[in-house]
Amino acid sequence: MADRIYVLIDGENLDVTLGTSILQRAPRPADRPRWERVLEFARDLRGKEAVGLFFINATSGNTPWPFVAALQNVGFRAVLLSGSSSEKVVDLGIQRTLEALLERDGDVLVGSHDRDFAPQIERLIDTGRDVAMIGFPELMSGVYSELGVQIHDLEFDVKAFNQRLPRIRVIPIGDFDPADFLD
C-alpha cells in the first residue's frame, strides 16, 4: 500500500477559471485559495503523506517569486516551466508527471478542470490507483465523470477559500440552505 498522495496543481487553469467563470474579474489575493488547506485536505482524504507540486508557467520571465516562496512555505514544491509561446508547458509538465507516477506507488489528486490529462489519469486508474480531481465541479471537464474519477469541490469540500464565492451550481437538496439565498 502506498503511503503518499501526489497533489498536482494546474495553477493557471484554476486561477483563470476562478477569475473568468466565477468572479468575472482578475482574482485578488484575498479571493484565491489557501493552498495549505489543499495539502491538509489531501492528507485527510487518504491518511497519507501529501506531496504537493504546483505547476507555474514561467515562460514570460516574470516569475512570481513572492508567490513561489509562499507556496514553498506551506509545503508545495513549485515547478516553474518555460517553453515557446505555442507550448502549453503546464499541461505538458503535468502530463509527464502523471506518466512518471505510473512507475511509482501512490494516489493522485489533480487540481484542474482541463481534459488534457484524461489519457494519463485513465492509465493510472487502470493500474488500480485512487485518482481524484479538485476544482469547481460545475466547470470540470465531463471526461472525468465518464472515467469515474471522484471530483472534490475546491470551495465546499476542500474549504480552500476564506470567503464564499459567487457561484451558480447544482445543489443536492440535502445540502440546500435557503438562508444562503435570502441574505
Side-chain angles (χ1 to χ4, degrees):
M1 179 168 137
D3 59 351
R4 289 184 168 183
I5 181 167
Y6 293 92
V7 182
L8 283 56
I9 300 295
D10 181 345
E12 275 184 322
N13 179 273
L14 292 176
D15 203 53
V16 167
T17 302
L18 176 63
T20 304
S21 299
I22 296 174
L23 299 173
Q24 299 177 351
R25 63 172 167 73
R28 295 184 288 265
D31 297 326
R32 290 193 164 92
R34 309 284 63 113
W35 295 110
E36 69 278 5
R37 294 180 194 166
V38 173
L39 290 177
E40 291 166 10
F41 177 80
R43 281 190 289 272
D44 293 345
L45 185 66
R46 300 282 189 263
K48 299 177 180 186
E49 174 191 0
V51 177
L53 303 176
F54 197 105
F55 293 80
I56 298 172
N57 185 339
T59 298
S60 71
N62 296 325
T63 304
W65 290 112
F67 180 64
V68 169
L71 285 172
Q72 290 177 304
N73 285 338
V74 300
F76 272 96
R77 296 177 191 165
V79 181
L80 305 174
L81 300 170
S82 67
S84 72
S85 60
S86 64
E87 291 178 297
K88 294 170 70 175
V89 296
V90 168
D91 287 359
L92 291 169
I94 292 173
Q95 288 168 340
R96 290 180 185 174
T97 303
L98 290 168
E99 290 167 3
L101 288 173
L102 287 166
E103 304 301 319
R104 295 177 178 259
D105 287 336
D107 297 332
V108 181
L109 182 61
V110 179
S112 182
H113 302 90
D114 198 333
R115 71 178 296 116
D116 290 343
F117 313 123
Q120 293 82 13
I121 287 175
E122 186 172 20
R123 285 197 289 282
L124 283 164
I125 291 168
D126 288 346
T127 67
R129 273 349 136 70
D130 283 330
V131 181
M133 301 292 292
I134 57 171
F136 303 108
E138 67 273 20
L139 302 168
M140 187 83 53
S141 171
V143 71
Y144 298 114
S145 292
E146 292 168 15
L147 291 173
V149 175
Q150 188 171 18
I151 298 171
H152 300 284
D153 191 299
L154 190 58
E155 180 180 12
F156 295 104
D157 298 332
V158 180
K159 298 181 180 12
F161 296 90
N162 285 338
Q163 56 199 13
R164 185 94 185 247
L165 296 176
R167 289 170 63 190
I168 297 174
R169 64 184 184 96
V170 175
I171 304 166
I173 192 63
D175 296 337
F176 175 65
D177 182 355
D180 292 341
F181 293 87
L182 301 174
D183 292 331

mmCIF file of all heavy atoms in Angstrom, residues 33-84:
data_model
loop_
_atom_site.group_PDB
_atom_site.id
_atom_site.type_symbol
_atom_site.label_atom_id
_atom_site.label_comp_id
_atom_site.label_asym_id
_atom_site.label_seq_id
_atom_site.Cartn_x
_atom_site.Cartn_y
_atom_site.Cartn_z
ATOM 1 N N PRO A 33 -7.426 30.639 -3.421
ATOM 2 C CA PRO A 33 -7.442 29.532 -2.452
ATOM 3 C C PRO A 33 -6.289 29.632 -1.463
ATOM 4 O O PRO A 33 -5.218 30.156 -1.789
ATOM 5 C CB PRO A 33 -7.278 28.279 -3.317
ATOM 6 C CG PRO A 33 -7.552 28.707 -4.706
ATOM 7 C CD PRO A 33 -7.259 30.164 -4.791
ATOM 8 N N ARG A 34 -6.509 29.080 -0.297
ATOM 9 C CA ARG A 34 -5.451 28.916 0.701
ATOM 10 C C ARG A 34 -4.849 27.545 0.414
ATOM 11 O O ARG A 34 -5.467 26.510 0.690
ATOM 12 C CB ARG A 34 -6.015 28.976 2.123
ATOM 13 C CG ARG A 34 -6.898 30.193 2.406
ATOM 14 C CD ARG A 34 -6.155 31.513 2.611
ATOM 15 N NE ARG A 34 -5.409 32.020 1.505
ATOM 16 C CZ ARG A 34 -5.704 33.144 0.824
ATOM 17 N NH1 ARG A 34 -6.739 33.853 1.128
ATOM 18 N NH2 ARG A 34 -4.919 33.548 -0.154
ATOM 19 N N TRP A 35 -3.678 27.540 -0.179
ATOM 20 C CA TRP A 35 -3.097 26.298 -0.696
ATOM 21 C C TRP A 35 -2.722 25.304 0.388
ATOM 22 O O TRP A 35 -2.729 24.096 0.160
ATOM 23 C CB TRP A 35 -1.919 26.621 -1.617
ATOM 24 C CG TRP A 35 -2.415 27.351 -2.824
ATOM 25 C CD1 TRP A 35 -2.209 28.660 -3.148
ATOM 26 C CD2 TRP A 35 -3.262 26.812 -3.855
ATOM 27 N NE1 TRP A 35 -2.878 28.963 -4.322
ATOM 28 C CE2 TRP A 35 -3.523 27.853 -4.766
ATOM 29 C CE3 TRP A 35 -3.826 25.560 -4.077
ATOM 30 C CZ2 TRP A 35 -4.316 27.672 -5.896
ATOM 31 C CZ3 TRP A 35 -4.613 25.374 -5.193
ATOM 32 C CH2 TRP A 35 -4.849 26.426 -6.090
ATOM 33 N N GLU A 36 -2.426 25.771 1.590
ATOM 34 C CA GLU A 36 -2.115 24.841 2.676
ATOM 35 C C GLU A 36 -3.324 23.959 2.982
ATOM 36 O O GLU A 36 -3.172 22.803 3.385
ATOM 37 C CB GLU A 36 -1.631 25.583 3.927
ATOM 38 C CG GLU A 36 -2.667 26.413 4.651
ATOM 39 C CD GLU A 36 -2.905 27.814 4.060
ATOM 40 O OE1 GLU A 36 -2.333 28.140 2.998
ATOM 41 O OE2 GLU A 36 -3.686 28.573 4.673
ATOM 42 N N ARG A 37 -4.527 24.479 2.783
ATOM 43 C CA ARG A 37 -5.742 23.692 3.026
ATOM 44 C C ARG A 37 -5.892 22.571 2.005
ATOM 45 O O ARG A 37 -6.479 21.529 2.310
ATOM 46 C CB ARG A 37 -6.974 24.598 3.001
ATOM 47 C CG ARG A 37 -6.975 25.592 4.141
ATOM 48 C CD ARG A 37 -8.193 26.468 4.107
ATOM 49 N NE ARG A 37 -8.032 27.613 4.994
ATOM 50 C CZ ARG A 37 -8.807 28.668 4.970
ATOM 51 N NH1 ARG A 37 -9.836 28.723 4.137
ATOM 52 N NH2 ARG A 37 -8.589 29.669 5.788
ATOM 53 N N VAL A 38 -5.374 22.780 0.815
ATOM 54 C CA VAL A 38 -5.419 21.724 -0.206
ATOM 55 C C VAL A 38 -4.544 20.551 0.234
ATOM 56 O O VAL A 38 -4.957 19.388 0.140
ATOM 57 C CB VAL A 38 -4.987 22.273 -1.586
ATOM 58 C CG1 VAL A 38 -4.856 21.149 -2.606
ATOM 59 C CG2 VAL A 38 -5.968 23.344 -2.061
ATOM 60 N N LEU A 39 -3.359 20.835 0.737
ATOM 61 C CA LEU A 39 -2.488 19.754 1.225
ATOM 62 C C LEU A 39 -3.097 19.066 2.448
ATOM 63 O O LEU A 39 -3.038 17.841 2.566
ATOM 64 C CB LEU A 39 -1.093 20.289 1.550
ATOM 65 C CG LEU A 39 -0.249 20.697 0.346
ATOM 66 C CD1 LEU A 39 1.083 21.290 0.805
ATOM 67 C CD2 LEU A 39 -0.025 19.526 -0.601
ATOM 68 N N GLU A 40 -3.699 19.837 3.345
ATOM 69 C CA GLU A 40 -4.369 19.250 4.517
ATOM 70 C C GLU A 40 -5.513 18.335 4.075
ATOM 71 O O GLU A 40 -5.683 17.239 4.618
ATOM 72 C CB GLU A 40 -4.909 20.353 5.437
ATOM 73 C CG GLU A 40 -3.849 21.150 6.141
ATOM 74 C CD GLU A 40 -4.376 22.431 6.776
ATOM 75 O OE1 GLU A 40 -5.614 22.621 6.846
ATOM 76 O OE2 GLU A 40 -3.538 23.259 7.189
ATOM 77 N N PHE A 41 -6.291 18.801 3.110
ATOM 78 C CA PHE A 41 -7.401 18.001 2.584
ATOM 79 C C PHE A 41 -6.876 16.689 2.004
ATOM 80 O O PHE A 41 -7.437 15.618 2.268
ATOM 81 C CB PHE A 41 -8.157 18.797 1.514
ATOM 82 C CG PHE A 41 -9.264 18.016 0.863
ATOM 83 C CD1 PHE A 41 -10.491 17.877 1.491
ATOM 84 C CD2 PHE A 41 -9.080 17.415 -0.381
ATOM 85 C CE1 PHE A 41 -11.522 17.155 0.900
ATOM 86 C CE2 PHE A 41 -10.107 16.695 -0.980
ATOM 87 C CZ PHE A 41 -11.321 16.566 -0.341
ATOM 88 N N ALA A 42 -5.801 16.761 1.237
ATOM 89 C CA ALA A 42 -5.227 15.556 0.624
ATOM 90 C C ALA A 42 -4.753 14.578 1.698
ATOM 91 O O ALA A 42 -5.001 13.372 1.602
ATOM 92 C CB ALA A 42 -4.075 15.932 -0.311
ATOM 93 N N ARG A 43 -4.096 15.083 2.725
ATOM 94 C CA ARG A 43 -3.638 14.210 3.826
ATOM 95 C C ARG A 43 -4.830 13.555 4.512
ATOM 96 O O ARG A 43 -4.819 12.358 4.796
ATOM 97 C CB ARG A 43 -2.818 15.005 4.840
ATOM 98 C CG ARG A 43 -1.393 15.257 4.419
ATOM 99 C CD ARG A 43 -0.567 15.832 5.559
ATOM 100 N NE ARG A 43 -0.917 17.198 5.887
ATOM 101 C CZ ARG A 43 -0.386 18.274 5.321
ATOM 102 N NH1 ARG A 43 0.528 18.146 4.383
ATOM 103 N NH2 ARG A 43 -0.761 19.483 5.700
ATOM 104 N N ASP A 44 -5.864 14.337 4.778
ATOM 105 C CA ASP A 44 -7.049 13.809 5.452
ATOM 106 C C ASP A 44 -7.829 12.850 4.563
ATOM 107 O O ASP A 44 -8.427 11.893 5.050
ATOM 108 C CB ASP A 44 -7.971 14.948 5.890
ATOM 109 C CG ASP A 44 -7.360 15.812 6.987
ATOM 110 O OD1 ASP A 44 -6.365 15.386 7.613
ATOM 111 O OD2 ASP A 44 -7.874 16.926 7.211
ATOM 112 N N LEU A 45 -7.823 13.096 3.269
ATOM 113 C CA LEU A 45 -8.576 12.286 2.318
ATOM 114 C C LEU A 45 -8.119 10.835 2.333
ATOM 115 O O LEU A 45 -8.929 9.917 2.314
ATOM 116 C CB LEU A 45 -8.417 12.882 0.907
ATOM 117 C CG LEU A 45 -9.228 12.257 -0.213
ATOM 118 C CD1 LEU A 45 -10.714 12.483 0.009
ATOM 119 C CD2 LEU A 45 -8.798 12.872 -1.557
ATOM 120 N N ARG A 46 -6.844 10.618 2.353
ATOM 121 C CA ARG A 46 -6.305 9.258 2.274
ATOM 122 C C ARG A 46 -5.473 8.854 3.493
ATOM 123 O O ARG A 46 -4.984 7.744 3.558
ATOM 124 C CB ARG A 46 -5.434 9.104 1.020
ATOM 125 C CG ARG A 46 -6.153 9.347 -0.287
ATOM 126 C CD ARG A 46 -6.991 8.135 -0.669
ATOM 127 N NE ARG A 46 -7.506 8.295 -2.012
ATOM 128 C CZ ARG A 46 -8.709 8.752 -2.311
ATOM 129 N NH1 ARG A 46 -9.515 9.117 -1.356
ATOM 130 N NH2 ARG A 46 -9.108 8.857 -3.551
ATOM 131 N N GLY A 47 -5.261 9.775 4.426
ATOM 132 C CA GLY A 47 -4.449 9.461 5.597
ATOM 133 C C GLY A 47 -3.010 9.166 5.229
ATOM 134 O O GLY A 47 -2.363 8.315 5.832
ATOM 135 N N LYS A 48 -2.521 9.889 4.225
ATOM 136 C CA LYS A 48 -1.170 9.650 3.716
ATOM 137 C C LYS A 48 -0.398 10.956 3.634
ATOM 138 O O LYS A 48 -0.981 12.045 3.648
ATOM 139 C CB LYS A 48 -1.249 9.045 2.310
ATOM 140 C CG LYS A 48 -1.958 7.716 2.256
ATOM 141 C CD LYS A 48 -2.061 7.202 0.845
ATOM 142 C CE LYS A 48 -2.790 5.853 0.855
ATOM 143 N NZ LYS A 48 -2.796 5.253 -0.450
ATOM 144 N N GLU A 49 0.901 10.826 3.518
ATOM 145 C CA GLU A 49 1.752 11.991 3.281
ATOM 146 C C GLU A 49 1.368 12.625 1.944
ATOM 147 O O GLU A 49 1.206 11.928 0.947
ATOM 148 C CB GLU A 49 3.219 11.551 3.230
ATOM 149 C CG GLU A 49 4.170 12.660 2.837
ATOM 150 C CD GLU A 49 5.571 12.166 2.525
ATOM 151 O OE1 GLU A 49 5.833 10.944 2.601
ATOM 152 O OE2 GLU A 49 6.404 13.017 2.183
ATOM 153 N N ALA A 50 1.200 13.945 1.929
ATOM 154 C CA ALA A 50 0.862 14.651 0.691
ATOM 155 C C ALA A 50 2.109 15.297 0.118
ATOM 156 O O ALA A 50 2.820 16.036 0.809
ATOM 157 C CB ALA A 50 -0.198 15.714 0.961
ATOM 158 N N VAL A 51 2.384 14.991 -1.134
ATOM 159 C CA VAL A 51 3.486 15.598 -1.868
ATOM 160 C C VAL A 51 2.857 16.564 -2.872
ATOM 161 O O VAL A 51 2.215 16.134 -3.828
ATOM 162 C CB VAL A 51 4.337 14.538 -2.597
ATOM 163 C CG1 VAL A 51 5.440 15.197 -3.409
ATOM 164 C CG2 VAL A 51 4.911 13.541 -1.594
ATOM 165 N N GLY A 52 3.003 17.868 -2.611
ATOM 166 C CA GLY A 52 2.362 18.874 -3.445
ATOM 167 C C GLY A 52 3.292 19.450 -4.489
ATOM 168 O O GLY A 52 4.381 19.935 -4.159
ATOM 169 N N LEU A 53 2.861 19.410 -5.740
ATOM 170 C CA LEU A 53 3.589 20.021 -6.850
ATOM 171 C C LEU A 53 2.679 21.060 -7.490
ATOM 172 O O LEU A 53 1.575 20.736 -7.945
ATOM 173 C CB LEU A 53 3.983 18.965 -7.885
ATOM 174 C CG LEU A 53 4.823 17.792 -7.386
ATOM 175 C CD1 LEU A 53 5.044 16.789 -8.508
ATOM 176 C CD2 LEU A 53 6.142 18.273 -6.827
ATOM 177 N N PHE A 54 3.139 22.294 -7.525
ATOM 178 C CA PHE A 54 2.349 23.401 -8.073
ATOM 179 C C PHE A 54 3.035 23.864 -9.352
ATOM 180 O O PHE A 54 4.126 24.411 -9.320
ATOM 181 C CB PHE A 54 2.279 24.541 -7.054
ATOM 182 C CG PHE A 54 1.187 25.525 -7.321
ATOM 183 C CD1 PHE A 54 0.050 25.523 -6.545
ATOM 184 C CD2 PHE A 54 1.297 26.460 -8.336
ATOM 185 C CE1 PHE A 54 -0.969 26.441 -6.779
ATOM 186 C CE2 PHE A 54 0.290 27.374 -8.576
ATOM 187 C CZ PHE A 54 -0.843 27.363 -7.802
ATOM 188 N N PHE A 55 2.375 23.657 -10.483
ATOM 189 C CA PHE A 55 2.952 23.933 -11.793
ATOM 190 C C PHE A 55 2.649 25.371 -12.219
ATOM 191 O O PHE A 55 1.499 25.797 -12.206
ATOM 192 C CB PHE A 55 2.409 22.943 -12.827
ATOM 193 C CG PHE A 55 2.871 21.541 -12.579
ATOM 194 C CD1 PHE A 55 2.250 20.753 -11.616
ATOM 195 C CD2 PHE A 55 3.934 21.007 -13.282
ATOM 196 C CE1 PHE A 55 2.679 19.458 -11.372
ATOM 197 C CE2 PHE A 55 4.378 19.713 -13.043
ATOM 198 C CZ PHE A 55 3.742 18.938 -12.086
ATOM 199 N N ILE A 56 3.720 26.087 -12.605
ATOM 200 C CA ILE A 56 3.617 27.504 -12.983
ATOM 201 C C ILE A 56 4.297 27.720 -14.326
ATOM 202 O O ILE A 56 5.420 27.247 -14.541
ATOM 203 C CB ILE A 56 4.274 28.401 -11.911
ATOM 204 C CG1 ILE A 56 3.549 28.246 -10.566
ATOM 205 C CG2 ILE A 56 4.307 29.856 -12.359
ATOM 206 C CD1 ILE A 56 4.241 28.941 -9.412
ATOM 207 N N ASN A 57 3.641 28.456 -15.206
ATOM 208 C CA ASN A 57 4.223 28.825 -16.488
ATOM 209 C C ASN A 57 5.145 30.020 -16.257
ATOM 210 O O ASN A 57 4.694 31.112 -15.938
ATOM 211 C CB ASN A 57 3.123 29.180 -17.485
ATOM 212 C CG ASN A 57 3.653 29.448 -18.874
ATOM 213 O OD1 ASN A 57 4.829 29.744 -19.069
ATOM 214 N ND2 ASN A 57 2.787 29.351 -19.858
ATOM 215 N N ALA A 58 6.445 29.794 -16.433
ATOM 216 C CA ALA A 58 7.441 30.837 -16.225
ATOM 217 C C ALA A 58 8.055 31.290 -17.556
ATOM 218 O O ALA A 58 9.141 31.863 -17.577
ATOM 219 C CB ALA A 58 8.523 30.331 -15.276
ATOM 220 N N THR A 59 7.347 31.045 -18.656
ATOM 221 C CA THR A 59 7.860 31.382 -19.987
ATOM 222 C C THR A 59 8.124 32.869 -20.143
ATOM 223 O O THR A 59 9.107 33.271 -20.764
ATOM 224 C CB THR A 59 6.867 30.896 -21.072
ATOM 225 O OG1 THR A 59 6.777 29.469 -20.981
ATOM 226 C CG2 THR A 59 7.330 31.271 -22.461
ATOM 227 N N SER A 60 7.272 33.703 -19.577
ATOM 228 C CA SER A 60 7.386 35.153 -19.758
ATOM 229 C C SER A 60 8.620 35.740 -19.098
ATOM 230 O O SER A 60 9.036 36.847 -19.432
ATOM 231 C CB SER A 60 6.145 35.852 -19.215
ATOM 232 O OG SER A 60 6.135 35.781 -17.805
ATOM 233 N N GLY A 61 9.193 35.031 -18.145
ATOM 234 C CA GLY A 61 10.334 35.556 -17.404
ATOM 235 C C GLY A 61 9.916 36.362 -16.184
ATOM 236 O O GLY A 61 10.749 36.785 -15.397
ATOM 237 N N ASN A 62 8.617 36.572 -16.017
ATOM 238 C CA ASN A 62 8.100 37.305 -14.856
ATOM 239 C C ASN A 62 7.646 36.314 -13.790
ATOM 240 O O ASN A 62 6.457 36.156 -13.539
ATOM 241 C CB ASN A 62 6.933 38.211 -15.261
ATOM 242 C CG ASN A 62 7.359 39.292 -16.220
ATOM 243 O OD1 ASN A 62 8.469 39.807 -16.117
ATOM 244 N ND2 ASN A 62 6.502 39.628 -17.162
ATOM 245 N N THR A 63 8.585 35.646 -13.179
ATOM 246 C CA THR A 63 8.267 34.643 -12.170
ATOM 247 C C THR A 63 7.749 35.330 -10.906
ATOM 248 O O THR A 63 8.388 36.251 -10.394
ATOM 249 C CB THR A 63 9.516 33.805 -11.842
ATOM 250 O OG1 THR A 63 9.991 33.235 -13.062
ATOM 251 C CG2 THR A 63 9.204 32.699 -10.858
ATOM 252 N N PRO A 64 6.613 34.881 -10.393
ATOM 253 C CA PRO A 64 6.039 35.486 -9.177
ATOM 254 C C PRO A 64 6.748 34.958 -7.924
ATOM 255 O O PRO A 64 6.204 34.132 -7.195
ATOM 256 C CB PRO A 64 4.578 35.043 -9.244
ATOM 257 C CG PRO A 64 4.636 33.715 -9.953
ATOM 258 C CD PRO A 64 5.749 33.842 -10.953
ATOM 259 N N TRP A 65 7.958 35.454 -7.673
ATOM 260 C CA TRP A 65 8.782 34.909 -6.599
ATOM 261 C C TRP A 65 8.136 34.966 -5.224
ATOM 262 O O TRP A 65 8.261 34.002 -4.449
ATOM 263 C CB TRP A 65 10.167 35.560 -6.597
ATOM 264 C CG TRP A 65 10.970 35.123 -7.802
ATOM 265 C CD1 TRP A 65 11.344 35.893 -8.850
ATOM 266 C CD2 TRP A 65 11.428 33.797 -8.094
ATOM 267 N NE1 TRP A 65 12.017 35.129 -9.787
ATOM 268 C CE2 TRP A 65 12.086 33.837 -9.349
ATOM 269 C CE3 TRP A 65 11.336 32.578 -7.436
ATOM 270 C CZ2 TRP A 65 12.662 32.722 -9.928
ATOM 271 C CZ3 TRP A 65 11.915 31.451 -8.031
ATOM 272 C CH2 TRP A 65 12.570 31.541 -9.252
ATOM 273 N N PRO A 66 7.424 36.036 -4.861
ATOM 274 C CA PRO A 66 6.763 36.010 -3.539
ATOM 275 C C PRO A 66 5.727 34.879 -3.443
ATOM 276 O O PRO A 66 5.611 34.232 -2.403
ATOM 277 C CB PRO A 66 6.102 37.388 -3.437
ATOM 278 C CG PRO A 66 6.918 38.263 -4.341
ATOM 279 C CD PRO A 66 7.340 37.375 -5.483
ATOM 280 N N PHE A 67 5.002 34.627 -4.531
ATOM 281 C CA PHE A 67 4.022 33.538 -4.542
ATOM 282 C C PHE A 67 4.724 32.188 -4.451
ATOM 283 O O PHE A 67 4.284 31.295 -3.716
ATOM 284 C CB PHE A 67 3.158 33.625 -5.801
ATOM 285 C CG PHE A 67 2.130 32.540 -5.900
ATOM 286 C CD1 PHE A 67 1.104 32.442 -4.971
ATOM 287 C CD2 PHE A 67 2.182 31.601 -6.925
ATOM 288 C CE1 PHE A 67 0.152 31.434 -5.057
ATOM 289 C CE2 PHE A 67 1.240 30.597 -7.021
ATOM 290 C CZ PHE A 67 0.225 30.506 -6.087
ATOM 291 N N VAL A 68 5.835 32.041 -5.173
ATOM 292 C CA VAL A 68 6.613 30.795 -5.114
ATOM 293 C C VAL A 68 7.087 30.545 -3.684
ATOM 294 O O VAL A 68 6.968 29.425 -3.164
ATOM 295 C CB VAL A 68 7.797 30.841 -6.103
ATOM 296 C CG1 VAL A 68 8.768 29.695 -5.869
ATOM 297 C CG2 VAL A 68 7.292 30.842 -7.547
ATOM 298 N N ALA A 69 7.579 31.582 -3.026
ATOM 299 C CA ALA A 69 8.035 31.440 -1.635
ATOM 300 C C ALA A 69 6.877 31.051 -0.723
ATOM 301 O O ALA A 69 7.035 30.190 0.154
ATOM 302 C CB ALA A 69 8.687 32.737 -1.158
ATOM 303 N N ALA A 70 5.715 31.663 -0.946
ATOM 304 C CA ALA A 70 4.539 31.337 -0.126
ATOM 305 C C ALA A 70 4.129 29.879 -0.327
ATOM 306 O O ALA A 70 3.796 29.187 0.640
ATOM 307 C CB ALA A 70 3.385 32.270 -0.456
ATOM 308 N N LEU A 71 4.157 29.414 -1.569
ATOM 309 C CA LEU A 71 3.831 28.007 -1.845
ATOM 310 C C LEU A 71 4.792 27.073 -1.118
ATOM 311 O O LEU A 71 4.372 26.085 -0.513
ATOM 312 C CB LEU A 71 3.898 27.717 -3.350
ATOM 313 C CG LEU A 71 2.770 28.239 -4.202
ATOM 314 C CD1 LEU A 71 3.100 28.046 -5.681
ATOM 315 C CD2 LEU A 71 1.460 27.551 -3.862
ATOM 316 N N GLN A 72 6.068 27.382 -1.194
ATOM 317 C CA GLN A 72 7.067 26.536 -0.538
ATOM 318 C C GLN A 72 6.883 26.551 0.977
ATOM 319 O O GLN A 72 7.054 25.525 1.625
ATOM 320 C CB GLN A 72 8.474 26.982 -0.934
ATOM 321 C CG GLN A 72 8.763 26.669 -2.395
ATOM 322 C CD GLN A 72 10.113 27.170 -2.848
ATOM 323 O OE1 GLN A 72 10.406 28.348 -2.731
ATOM 324 N NE2 GLN A 72 10.915 26.247 -3.353
ATOM 325 N N ASN A 73 6.511 27.695 1.519
ATOM 326 C CA ASN A 73 6.301 27.802 2.973
ATOM 327 C C ASN A 73 5.156 26.935 3.468
ATOM 328 O O ASN A 73 5.164 26.516 4.619
ATOM 329 C CB ASN A 73 6.072 29.255 3.382
ATOM 330 C CG ASN A 73 7.348 30.057 3.372
ATOM 331 O OD1 ASN A 73 8.441 29.516 3.455
ATOM 332 N ND2 ASN A 73 7.211 31.369 3.256
ATOM 333 N N VAL A 74 4.142 26.670 2.601
ATOM 334 C CA VAL A 74 3.019 25.833 3.036
ATOM 335 C C VAL A 74 3.208 24.371 2.653
ATOM 336 O O VAL A 74 2.343 23.545 2.934
ATOM 337 C CB VAL A 74 1.659 26.365 2.535
ATOM 338 C CG1 VAL A 74 1.419 27.769 3.059
ATOM 339 C CG2 VAL A 74 1.522 26.293 1.035
ATOM 340 N N GLY A 75 4.320 24.048 1.988
ATOM 341 C CA GLY A 75 4.623 22.646 1.722
ATOM 342 C C GLY A 75 4.564 22.202 0.274
ATOM 343 O O GLY A 75 4.815 21.027 -0.016
ATOM 344 N N PHE A 76 4.250 23.096 -0.652
ATOM 345 C CA PHE A 76 4.274 22.739 -2.071
ATOM 346 C C PHE A 76 5.679 22.886 -2.619
ATOM 347 O O PHE A 76 6.463 23.696 -2.130
ATOM 348 C CB PHE A 76 3.343 23.657 -2.886
ATOM 349 C CG PHE A 76 1.928 23.177 -2.964
ATOM 350 C CD1 PHE A 76 0.975 23.658 -2.087
ATOM 351 C CD2 PHE A 76 1.540 22.244 -3.915
ATOM 352 C CE1 PHE A 76 -0.334 23.229 -2.148
ATOM 353 C CE2 PHE A 76 0.234 21.799 -3.989
ATOM 354 C CZ PHE A 76 -0.706 22.295 -3.104
ATOM 355 N N ARG A 77 5.967 22.130 -3.653
ATOM 356 C CA ARG A 77 7.168 22.336 -4.459
ATOM 357 C C ARG A 77 6.709 23.067 -5.717
ATOM 358 O O ARG A 77 5.832 22.579 -6.433
ATOM 359 C CB ARG A 77 7.806 21.002 -4.854
ATOM 360 C CG ARG A 77 8.312 20.214 -3.676
ATOM 361 C CD ARG A 77 8.865 18.874 -4.137
ATOM 362 N NE ARG A 77 9.103 18.034 -2.987
ATOM 363 C CZ ARG A 77 9.301 16.730 -3.036
ATOM 364 N NH1 ARG A 77 9.273 16.105 -4.208
ATOM 365 N NH2 ARG A 77 9.520 16.043 -1.948
ATOM 366 N N ALA A 78 7.280 24.223 -5.962
ATOM 367 C CA ALA A 78 6.936 24.975 -7.171
ATOM 368 C C ALA A 78 7.676 24.361 -8.352
ATOM 369 O O ALA A 78 8.879 24.104 -8.279
ATOM 370 C CB ALA A 78 7.318 26.434 -7.010
ATOM 371 N N VAL A 79 6.942 24.116 -9.432
ATOM 372 C CA VAL A 79 7.527 23.569 -10.652
ATOM 373 C C VAL A 79 7.384 24.663 -11.708
ATOM 374 O O VAL A 79 6.311 24.875 -12.255
ATOM 375 C CB VAL A 79 6.801 22.277 -11.098
ATOM 376 C CG1 VAL A 79 7.447 21.714 -12.353
ATOM 377 C CG2 VAL A 79 6.798 21.244 -9.982
ATOM 378 N N LEU A 80 8.480 25.388 -11.923
ATOM 379 C CA LEU A 80 8.486 26.507 -12.864
ATOM 380 C C LEU A 80 8.920 25.992 -14.229
ATOM 381 O O LEU A 80 10.027 25.477 -14.377
ATOM 382 C CB LEU A 80 9.444 27.593 -12.388
ATOM 383 C CG LEU A 80 9.211 28.110 -10.970
ATOM 384 C CD1 LEU A 80 10.309 29.078 -10.562
ATOM 385 C CD2 LEU A 80 7.863 28.776 -10.867
ATOM 386 N N LEU A 81 8.052 26.129 -15.218
ATOM 387 C CA LEU A 81 8.322 25.592 -16.544
ATOM 388 C C LEU A 81 8.302 26.709 -17.582
ATOM 389 O O LEU A 81 7.554 27.678 -17.451
ATOM 390 C CB LEU A 81 7.271 24.542 -16.913
ATOM 391 C CG LEU A 81 7.194 23.344 -15.975
ATOM 392 C CD1 LEU A 81 5.973 22.495 -16.295
ATOM 393 C CD2 LEU A 81 8.463 22.519 -16.069
ATOM 394 N N SER A 82 9.132 26.543 -18.621
ATOM 395 C CA SER A 82 9.125 27.516 -19.712
ATOM 396 C C SER A 82 9.200 26.775 -21.035
ATOM 397 O O SER A 82 9.575 25.612 -21.098
ATOM 398 C CB SER A 82 10.298 28.493 -19.581
ATOM 399 O OG SER A 82 11.523 27.816 -19.787
ATOM 400 N N GLY A 83 8.826 27.475 -22.079
ATOM 401 C CA GLY A 83 8.857 26.909 -23.428
ATOM 402 C C GLY A 83 8.470 27.988 -24.418
ATOM 403 O O GLY A 83 8.407 29.175 -24.072
ATOM 404 N N SER A 84 8.166 27.572 -25.620
ATOM 405 C CA SER A 84 7.748 28.548 -26.628
ATOM 406 C C SER A 84 6.333 29.019 -26.309
ATOM 407 O O SER A 84 5.599 28.382 -25.553
ATOM 408 C CB SER A 84 7.800 27.920 -28.024
ATOM 409 O OG SER A 84 6.747 26.981 -28.172
#
